[in-house]
Amino acid sequence: MFWSKKFSSLTAALETPHRAKKLFLLKTGIDAKLSHIERLEKLTTLHIGWQELKQLPTEITKLHNLQELIVLNSPIESIPPSIHHLTSLKRLVFRGTGITSIPCEIRQLQQLEEVDFSNNNIQCLPKEIGELKNLKSLNLHCTSIEKIPDELEKLDKLEFLGLTGTKFSEAERNELKLRLEC
């Protein structure tokens, strides 16, 4: 019986791809721009942090078992529309990156429970985010968000809406949370 392992290097994970479930690429320098990562078919967790990546490699969207994608403090400029292929995702974090928008294809990630886009220059949310029926937590701390789409009212499971450090006043944040019942 083979036990799953967590890895901190793509090269090491690719040596035993059938065992790799978690990959943490934090402050390590990414090997070969994540080439061949799609071979890690059983990968459920991918953390990328403090890297010089400007875009998320499309190979990542072939990781159909991925449940957690966390990108921290890296200058990634956009979330690719092909993210919709990651239908097993439960947790999506792009914190402190260079993203300014969220693709409407996010609506296809129906398993999402937690979304964190804090510390980015996002100015608006797509109305399609209101289609994420399992969403419990939406963190928009320290973003440039100016308006919350009315479609968020459809999110019956939403328990947390993080808006501190945004352009919303405390009264507006409280009113939104009351309206959304979170």
Side-chain angles (χ1 to χ4, degrees), residues 36-79:
H36 306 294
I37 195 167
E38 71 277 6
R39 289 182 42 213
L40 304 177
E41 295 175 2
K42 296 187 180 200
L43 202 66
T44 59
T45 302
L46 177 59
H47 292 210
I48 300 170
W50 296 273
Q51 304 294 334
E52 292 303 315
L53 284 176
K54 295 247 185 229
Q55 62 184 11
L56 202 61
T58 55
E59 291 83 3
I60 287 175
T61 63
K62 296 176 183 171
L63 299 171
H64 299 291
N65 291 313
L66 200 63
Q67 295 177 19
E68 184 173 292
L69 175 59
I70 298 180
V71 181
L72 304 171
N73 301 312
S74 298
I76 290 178
E77 298 169 347
S78 64
I79 299 172

Side-chain angles (χ1 to χ4, degrees), residues 17-28:
H18 59 282
R19 294 180 67 194
K21 289 218 173 194
K22 298 180 179 193
L23 181 57
F24 299 89
L25 301 172
L26 306 172
K27 298 183 183 182
T28 59

Side-chain angles (χ1 to χ4, degrees), residues 72-151:
L72 304 171
N73 301 312
S74 298
I76 290 178
E77 298 169 347
S78 64
I79 299 172
S82 58
I83 193 127
H84 77 274
H85 292 293
L86 298 176
T87 55
S88 296
L89 270 186
K90 292 184 177 184
R91 187 173 184 211
L92 179 63
V93 176
F94 277 79
R95 186 182 311 139
T97 66
I99 63 171
T100 57
S101 64
I102 300 154
C104 62
E105 289 82 0
I106 196 170
R107 73 171 162 254
Q108 295 178 35
L109 303 178
Q110 288 297 307
Q111 300 302 313
L112 275 179
E113 296 176 4
E114 178 186 346
V115 171
D116 182 343
F117 294 131
S118 60
N119 297 315
N120 284 295
N121 196 26
I122 297 169
Q123 296 179 352
C124 66
L125 286 176
K127 65 180 181 181
E128 290 81 4
I129 206 156
E131 297 177 34
L132 301 175
K133 301 297 180 202
N134 289 306
L135 195 63
K136 295 177 183 175
S137 174
L138 178 57
N139 189 352
L140 302 169
H141 291 303
C142 299
T143 61
S144 299
I145 294 284
E146 296 178 0
K147 184 179 184 314
I148 298 294
D150 293 336
E151 286 77 6

